[in-house]
Amino acid sequence: MNKITYTGNGETTNFSFTFPFFLKSDIKVKKNNEIINTGYEITTVSQGANADIPFSGGTVIFDSAPASTDTITIYRSLNLSRITDYQPTVPIDTVALNQDFSFIIELLKDVHEQIDILTENYDSIASLPNLEQVQNDISALKNANNFTTNGKNKIASWGFPSGDITELDFLEKTAGAHQYIPANNGFLSAMFTPDVNGTVEIYNVNGKTIYNQDVTEGRKTTVLMPVSKNQALNLIVPTLRTIHFQRLIVCA
């Protein structure tokens, strides 16, 4: 509903879209299914400051033309938060009120679309592999050498028959906070060895802690947790000695 996909040709730098949005930050861009935040600018089509929905489209302008092998996706992702705080002693701004109601309607449209996608794909998401597939996958796991690509793919197909694995590179060995925005629904998996005693903590953009685990110096630690598409996570980690693998197991 609020997404458009293009294929690059090595020459075109401008890619237009026509769906409504409220803030420029509502517009997200992916190249080859990976969210990108640099290398382009967004121009907007304004409907006027008093319009119920401020913008009706725009253009993503890349610094350099995407190649013919690149897929460009432009989509809307509304941030679920209040912009206007109405005060009991101040007259209600009708423009802000109309925009608030329009925002709710547009957000409900997006939710409805996601429900439709889930409904259409429910059978494949919920299905389980047959016994022969499980046996083959267990055999592949046993024969995998340090979780080779073949072993990783077998693990994914065993646990999530409709899924895939996306290798990640957001986690660094340095201590501190590292942000990760999943490109798909699925499970975040990371295996690492901390260099010091400490705590691994994961919290969402609203500051709510959704994962917390004490870790011991030199002891291998594994994190496996569900993640939601386009919902940013902030990870706080101690100094890491090694990172064995980190990936997003896609299940929708």
Side-chain angles (χ1 to χ4, degrees):
M1 181 184 302
N2 297 301
K3 179 175 71 174
I4 186 169
T5 299
Y6 293 94
T7 299
N9 59 13
E11 298 179 359
T12 302
T13 57
N14 294 13
F15 299 87
S16 62
F17 57 97
T18 58
F19 43 81
F21 60 101
F22 296 83
L23 300 169
K24 186 181 286 189
S25 58
D26 294 337
I27 302 303
K28 309 298 181 184
V29 180
K30 287 183 179 181
K31 179 185 284 188
N32 301 324
N33 208 36
E34 295 292 333
I35 295 176
I36 57 174
N37 299 307
T38 59
Y40 64 88
E41 63 173 340
I42 299 174
T43 62
T44 59
V45 177
S46 174
Q47 300 199 92
N50 294 329
D52 290 349
I53 302 179
F55 304 102
S56 61
T59 303
V60 174
I61 305 174
F62 283 87
D63 297 342
S64 57
S68 58
T69 55
D70 290 333
T71 298
I72 305 300
T73 303
I74 306 167
Y75 64 99
R76 182 182 81 181
S77 179
L78 300 179
N79 184 26
L80 185 56
S81 62
R82 289 190 59 178
I83 298 176
T84 306
D85 183 15
Y86 298 96
Q87 300 298 317
T89 58
V90 178
I92 292 178
D93 183 340
T94 56
V95 172
L97 183 63
N98 283 329
Q99 289 184 354
D100 278 353
F101 279 120
S102 295
F103 179 86
I104 293 171
I105 294 298
E106 292 301 309
L107 188 63
L108 288 173
K109 287 180 181 179
D110 287 358
V111 172
H112 186 271
E113 181 185 10
Q114 292 302 315
I115 292 174
D116 283 347
I117 293 173
L118 177 61
T119 301
E120 291 172 3
N121 293 280
Y122 177 79
D123 288 342
S124 62
I125 295 173
S127 62
L128 294 175
N130 58 39
L131 179 60
E132 182 179 0
Q133 180 182 345
V134 172
Q135 291 173 334
N136 291 337
D137 292 337
I138 291 176
S139 176
L141 177 59
K142 289 180 178 178
N143 295 327
N145 179 18
N146 264 348
F147 290 101
T148 61
T149 300
N150 176 60
K152 292 179 182 180
N153 290 337
K154 285 297 183 180
I155 294 170
S157 64
W158 178 24
F160 307 94
S162 64
D164 196 1
I165 290 179
T166 302
E167 297 294 340
L168 309 172
D169 59 3
F170 68 93
L171 194 58
E172 301 175 7
K173 291 185 179 180
T174 56
H178 309 285
Q179 188 175 81
Y180 169 54
I181 304 177
N184 296 282
N185 298 319
F187 285 81
L188 171 64
S189 171
M191 181 182 291
F192 52 83
T193 303
D195 213 24
V196 294
N197 293 340
T199 302
V200 173
E201 184 176 358
I202 303 176
Y203 58 96
N204 61 21
V205 291
N206 297 320
K208 179 180 179 181
T209 300
I210 54 180
Y211 182 92
N212 185 288
Q213 180 177 337
D214 292 332
V215 293
T216 303
E217 174 189 354
R219 180 177 296 176
K220 187 179 298 183
T221 301
T222 300
V223 172
L224 180 65
M225 62 173 294
V227 295
S228 299
K229 181 178 179 180
N230 298 328
Q231 298 299 307
L233 297 176
N234 294 301
L235 291 78
I236 296 180
V237 297
T239 302
L240 302 180
R241 182 178 304 172
T242 60
I243 304 174
H244 299 282
F245 61 86
Q246 49 186 319
R247 62 181 188 245
L248 173 65
I249 303 174
V250 181
C251 62

